[in-house]
């Protein structure tokens, strides 16, 4: 997979934005819009034949779409530690969800804060150890959802209990992601000469597979492109072990197609959130002085190979290949 995307692409593009701003005598603002578990191939501008992602597609047309961006690890914490340091995950042992960046280790946010930026973080962590926040981030936290979280609708003896396929959510403005987006928009509306960096590590499109009304049933499972089958030769034996342990081997093709259809609807919701953010950049006058990056930490099986979620030692493109779009 070559060098980490953080080293070769993400930091290079960030540096290009900084260099361009330096020529004009101003520091650029940065926004890192980070849907979780978003694979590249499931976005319109990356070639998906069914999904509708007008805001991601427009951003790609206005900026740069990196075509071959692969993560260092297919689990949240290791991937994010790699992103913000430029290190492969083995350099300091960041291989799990329980060992995050310490104060003695580099991270992009601390460098920005030391350079005079206000750094705002709204969303989940999986990146910094608690003691690293004060020196790296001006304000942080995850805003709560207004609506009640969905529960697993399947009884424990149902074949779908471990599928993460839940029912339809509530209003699009009742999610935690929308609450975090509102906090970011308030920063855009502030009256301050200080440059800012806004980090939005959002919860969508991570399982459970459930989207707000208007997105959950956006796609007909029968129209979803054929999924990659289970039982392919030369796949690791833990694929079938996962399927048997979670009873995924008892699920039908229709079950997996429904999962994929809802996953695409969740991507549509994340695309809508991006549109709300971009509209706020426009009306606050920050579209011209803010570098906007969209990327993810890893992808999702989403029914391909008869599997859901991901695994840290799996290397399928649906897990490693993520979008990276930058508008500078």
């Amino acid at each position: 997979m070559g060098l980490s995307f953080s080293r070769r692409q993400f930091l290079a593009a960030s540096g290009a934005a900084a260099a361009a701003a330096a020529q004009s005598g101003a520091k650029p603002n940065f926004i890192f819009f980070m849907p979780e578990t978003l694979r590249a191939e499931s976005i319109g501008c990356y070639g998906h034949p069914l999904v509708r992602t007008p805001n991601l597609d427009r951003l790609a047309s206005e900026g740069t779409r990196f075509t071959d961006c692969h993560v260092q690890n297919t689990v949240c914490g290791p991937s994010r530690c790699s992103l913000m340091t430029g290190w492969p995950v083995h350099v300091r042992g960041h291989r799990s969800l329980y060992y995050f960046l310490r104060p003695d280790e580099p991270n992009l946010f601390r460098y920005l804060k030391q350079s005079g930026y206000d750094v705002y973080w709204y969303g989940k962590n999986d990146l910094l150890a608690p003691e690293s926040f004060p020196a790296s981030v001006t304000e942080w936290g995850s805003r709560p959802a207004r609506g009640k979280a969905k529960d697993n609708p399947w009884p424990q003896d149902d074949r779908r209990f471990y599928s993460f396929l839940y029912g339809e959510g509530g209003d699009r403005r009742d999610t935690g992601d929308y609450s975090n987006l509102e906090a970011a928009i308030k920063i855009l509306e502030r009256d301050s000469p200080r440059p800012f960096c806004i980090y939005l590590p959002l919860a969508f499109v991570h399982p459970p597979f459930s989207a707000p009304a208007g997105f959950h049933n956006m796609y007909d499972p029968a129209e979803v492109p054929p999924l990659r089958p289970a039982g392919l030769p030369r796949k690791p034996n833990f694929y079938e072990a996962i399927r048997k342990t979670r009873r995924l081997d008892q699920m039908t093709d229709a079950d997996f197609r429904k999962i994929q259809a809802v996953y695409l609807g969740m991507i549509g919701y994340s695309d809508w959130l991006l549109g709300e953010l971009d509209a706020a950049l426009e009306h606050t006058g920050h579209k011209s002085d803010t570098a906007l990056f969209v990327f993810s930490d890893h992808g999702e099986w989403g029914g391909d190979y008869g599997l859901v979620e991901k695994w840290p030692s799996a290397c399928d493109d649906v897990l490693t290949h993520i979008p990276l779009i930058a508008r500078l």
Side-chain angles (χ1 to χ4, degrees):
M1 293 188 291
L3 294 176
S4 70
F5 70 87
S6 49
R7 185 186 303 235
R8 173 170 288 179
Q9 300 173 317
F10 179 80
L11 294 180
S14 301
Q23 292 180 354
S24 67
K27 289 185 176 180
N29 301 309
F30 294 97
I31 296 179
F32 304 135
F33 184 87
M34 188 179 188
E36 166 142 10
T37 318
L38 177 59
R39 64 194 208 181
E41 69 171 50
S42 298
I43 299 173
C45 61
Y46 281 87
H48 197 279
L50 179 63
V51 74
R52 297 186 294 277
T53 50
N55 297 298
L56 285 161
D57 299 349
R58 183 177 65 254
L59 187 70
S61 69
E62 294 173 349
T64 300
R65 179 181 64 91
F66 293 82
T67 59
D68 201 28
C69 179
H70 288 258
V71 297
Q72 284 286 316
N73 190 280
T74 57
V75 173
C76 317
S79 181
R80 293 168 196 238
C81 290
S82 176
L83 167 70
M84 291 300 170
T85 60
W87 285 343
V89 296
H90 64 267
V91 171
R92 288 288 290 269
H94 293 288
R95 294 189 178 95
S96 77
L97 288 172
Y98 311 103
Y99 183 58
F100 299 150
L101 297 175
R102 268 51 180 177
D104 65 304
E105 298 177 292
N107 81 74
L108 176 61
F109 294 139
R110 188 173 80 242
Y111 297 153
L112 287 172
K113 196 166 187 286
Q114 290 171 346
S115 298
Y117 279 78
D118 289 332
V119 179
Y120 298 97
W121 174 324
Y122 303 119
K124 67 177 293 186
N125 184 10
D126 289 349
L127 172 61
L128 295 183
E131 58 269 29
S132 296
F133 274 89
S136 304
V137 187
T138 306
E139 179 178 289
W140 65 93
S142 186
R143 301 312 194 251
R146 297 184 181 95
K148 182 181 180 296
K150 299 290 289 186
D151 294 325
N152 193 334
W154 311 111
Q156 195 162 2
D157 60 352
D158 190 284
R159 70 180 189 279
R160 292 160 292 190
F161 182 78
Y162 295 104
S163 70
F164 292 99
L165 179 59
Y166 287 14
E168 182 178 76
D171 186 83
R172 66 182 67 188
R173 292 176 174 82
D174 287 346
T175 69
D177 280 4
Y178 188 78
S179 296
N180 287 315
L181 179 66
E182 284 185 314
I185 290 174
K186 288 179 181 178
I187 300 304
L188 296 178
E189 294 172 343
R190 71 176 189 164
D191 184 15
S192 173
R194 291 175 59 83
F196 61 80
C197 170
I198 300 174
Y199 177 46
L200 288 168
L202 303 177
F204 278 76
V205 292
H206 191 286
F209 300 104
S210 172
F215 296 95
H216 188 86
N217 295 311
M218 181 177 284
Y219 300 103
D220 182 349
E223 296 180 358
V224 169
L227 299 176
R228 298 166 176 90
L232 291 176
R234 294 167 42 180
K235 285 293 182 183
N237 58 11
F238 66 77
Y239 282 47
E240 285 305 311
I242 293 172
R243 281 170 46 76
K244 291 177 181 178
T245 302
R246 298 185 179 180
R247 299 204 298 270
L248 299 175
D249 59 340
Q250 300 176 24
M251 293 180 59
T252 66
D253 181 66
D255 294 330
F256 288 122
R257 294 176 75 85
K258 179 62 177 178
I259 286 171
Q260 179 72 194
V262 175
Y263 177 69
L264 296 178
M266 295 169 71
I267 292 172
Y269 177 65
S270 292
D271 182 81
W272 176 78
L273 291 172
L274 177 63
E276 295 293 291
L277 174 64
D278 210 21
L281 283 168
E282 187 76 57
H283 78 70
T284 59
H286 280 300
K287 190 168 183 177
S288 61
D289 64 18
T290 301
L292 174 59
F293 293 80
V294 176
F295 50 87
S296 189
D297 51 354
H298 54 76
E300 161 71 52
W301 275 315
D304 278 317
Y305 309 111
L307 293 164
V308 296
E309 280 208 291
K310 73 280 183 184
W311 199 255
S313 56
C315 292
D316 304 303
D317 274 11
V318 296
L319 303 184
T320 68
H321 186 201
I322 63 161
L324 173 59
I325 304 171
R327 186 182 67 203
L328 311 182

